[in-house]
Amino acid sequence: RETMEASISAIAADKDAQAAGVMAKSASVLPWLAFHENNWVIIFDGADGGYEMVEEFLPAGKNGNILISSRNPGLARLSALSDAILEVIELEEDAAVNLFIKSARLKNPSVTEQAHIKMIVQELGYLALAVDQAASSVASKLCHVDNYLETYRQKRLQLMEDFMFKGSSNYGLPVYATWDISFTELKHRAAAQSSDSNAYQNAIFILQLFSFFHFEGISEDIFCRAAETISSPWFSDNDWDLPLLEVSLPSNDNLGLLLQLTNTNVWNSFNFRAAIRILSQF
């Protein structure tokens, strides 16, 4: 909030704002913007918190333009126009291939090289940041297009967390570091003494639990069946046939919260969905 307050307050340095006697605080700047006749634009970049924080700094009225970039889909409620919302998803294959060629500084790649590039971008899920950074490792001569996938599968961690291969963009962080930032924020909020701390702890646990599954094979029904099966009268601890999985679970306390039943012995999905809602903000 302090950063946003400082940024909005800095608008008071504009010559028109000074002429109007605007003071360097949002309570003075925002009303002035609301009635300002000239066109203006405010950009909220990386607004990943709750919509309430951004809403506090939105000028009233219909003048001007506001652009918000965020991983939190909940901020869509700030716009009354459905067509004013643009979801940035994975790249199309052709766009991913072109990005790789440009970032890897390849000139006129052969048909064989383009076939390898298509396999690389497919392996990376067509994620722009991952494609850009993979191409950076090729540009740096660490590996070649034809053997990148072999190197990636053997040295995935090093390639995706090494700052040497952060890509040609100005983003400045490798892929895994980007994910670590989100995970660190989750842990920070889980440690806070708030009404949502349990939900953040559950969100962390779900991420850790999902690592045991293939990303295309995770469904809510898995948790429903687990809850209703474990609680059934004919189920006992001796029925576990995968003791290693049970030992590997990060926290049985969190698992118990996610597998709670209602009074009618059906799965109470509230805690699970509350945690998923939090994850969707990241």
Side-chain angles (χ1 to χ4, degrees), residues 18-178:
Q18 290 180 338
V22 176
M23 294 180 288
K25 56 183 180 180
S26 63
S28 180
V29 170
L30 294 177
W32 174 73
L33 281 176
F35 296 99
H36 193 51
E37 295 180 355
N38 294 332
N39 206 9
W40 51 264
V41 60
I42 293 179
I43 300 175
F44 295 89
D45 186 27
D48 294 329
Y51 73 92
E52 302 91 345
M53 182 173 296
V54 177
E55 188 175 41
E56 180 181 349
F57 293 97
L58 296 181
K62 298 182 179 180
N63 294 333
N65 308 273
I66 299 173
L67 177 64
I68 302 173
S69 69
S70 175
R71 293 176 296 174
N72 183 0
L75 268 70
R77 66 185 298 173
L78 294 175
S79 175
L81 303 175
S82 59
D83 59 354
I85 300 167
L86 175 64
E87 183 179 4
V88 181
I89 55 177
E90 63 272 8
L91 297 171
E92 297 289 340
E93 182 175 79
D94 289 345
V97 169
N98 290 335
L99 173 61
F100 188 99
I101 293 173
K102 179 180 178 181
S103 297
R105 297 193 290 276
L106 299 174
K107 294 183 178 180
N108 301 318
S110 66
V111 174
T112 301
E113 287 176 325
Q114 291 193 45
H116 283 295
I117 293 172
K118 286 185 178 181
M119 290 189 290
I120 293 171
V121 298
Q122 182 180 18
E123 179 83 6
L124 298 174
Y126 306 106
L127 298 175
L129 183 60
V131 169
D132 182 38
Q133 293 177 192
S136 177
S137 64
V138 172
S140 66
K141 310 301 182 184
L142 176 71
C143 50
H144 298 287
V145 171
D146 58 354
N147 66 2
Y148 177 84
L149 279 181
E150 179 182 358
T151 305
Y152 172 73
R153 289 163 181 164
Q154 294 176 353
K155 301 291 184 180
R156 182 189 308 251
L157 181 63
Q158 291 91 325
L159 287 175
M160 288 294 141
E161 74 172 3
D162 196 322
F163 278 79
M164 288 181 61
F165 311 115
K166 61 186 180 182
S168 61
S169 67
N170 294 323
Y171 185 66
L173 291 174
V175 172
Y176 280 9
T178 304

Side-chain angles (χ1 to χ4, degrees), residues 47 70 89 130 210 226 238 246:
S70 175
I89 55 177
F210 280 1
N238 295 328
E246 185 181 15

Side-chain angles (χ1 to χ4, degrees), residues 210 213-219 222:
F210 280 1
F213 294 82
H214 189 276
F215 65 88
E216 292 180 346
I218 305 172
S219 68
I222 291 175

Side-chain angles (χ1 to χ4, degrees), residues 189-206:
R189 297 185 188 185
Q193 299 298 321
S194 68
S195 58
D196 293 334
S197 58
N198 283 337
Y200 284 104
Q201 291 171 8
N202 288 335
I204 291 172
F205 175 78
I206 286 176

